[in-house]
Amino acid sequence: MGKNVRSFMMLSAFFFLFLGASTSAVTSIAAINDGTELAYKLNADNDRQVKAKLAIPGEEVYSGAMIVNLIRTEERDIDIEVGGVLYSRLDNYTSFNPSAIRLTQKYKATYSRDESGYILKVSFTSL
């Protein structure tokens, strides 16, 4: 009788272990499927074809949030001026407080270059 009970307990333990592993596998496969569907939806507009038509030239318009991101970039080698305030390339702005720049405002960029064509400063003026 003791052998049958032990055998039944081992069988039930293996069954619940198999059930748990199967449940974990199903949730993992579902997560992978959801990630694949998300990646497909994100790349749906990317048709991998060369466009024969160029974009319409015009003014470059930046949002305030984009400018704050440019100011916070550590590897930049240009000065940035926003509304008359100069943010030097030599200073560290990783903990920059963006309250002086309106994040939803649209800005127009003006580039200052040297004789060889390198950009020295970008001035942003609000539209």
Side-chain angles (χ1 to χ4, degrees):
M1 174 99 175
K3 218 177 200 186
N4 289 338
V5 172
R6 185 174 11 170
S7 176
F8 178 74
M9 288 178 67
M10 290 294 286
L11 180 64
S12 63
F14 286 138
F15 175 74
F16 285 117
L17 184 64
F18 175 75
L19 191 63
S22 299
T23 305
S24 176
V26 167
T27 56
S28 297
I29 291 172
I32 291 171
N33 186 37
D34 292 342
T36 305
E37 286 180 5
L38 179 64
Y40 178 77
K41 288 177 185 177
L42 291 175
N43 290 326
D45 294 335
N46 190 4
D47 58 359
R48 302 188 195 289
Q49 294 181 3
V50 176
K51 304 294 183 194
K53 182 178 174 184
L54 296 175
I56 299 172
E59 293 181 344
E60 293 184 11
V61 178
Y62 295 89
S63 69
M66 294 168 73
I67 296 170
V68 168
N69 191 24
L70 286 173
I71 292 171
R72 286 183 175 164
T73 303
E74 293 180 12
E75 297 92 28
R76 68 180 169 94
D77 55 353
I78 59 172
D79 294 330
I80 297 176
E81 181 182 348
V82 182
V85 178
L86 182 67
Y87 299 98
S88 174
R89 65 179 172 264
L90 303 175
D91 294 335
N92 185 3
Y93 294 104
T94 54
S95 61
F96 169 68
N97 184 3
S99 62
I101 299 172
R102 295 183 60 199
L103 300 179
T104 57
Q105 179 73 35
K106 298 292 182 190
Y107 293 89
K108 181 180 80 166
T110 306
Y111 301 99
S112 300
R113 300 176 184 266
D114 64 359
E115 307 83 40
S116 59
Y118 292 109
I119 297 176
L120 298 175
K121 180 174 80 168
V122 181
S123 300
F124 293 100
T125 54
S126 62
L127 295 176

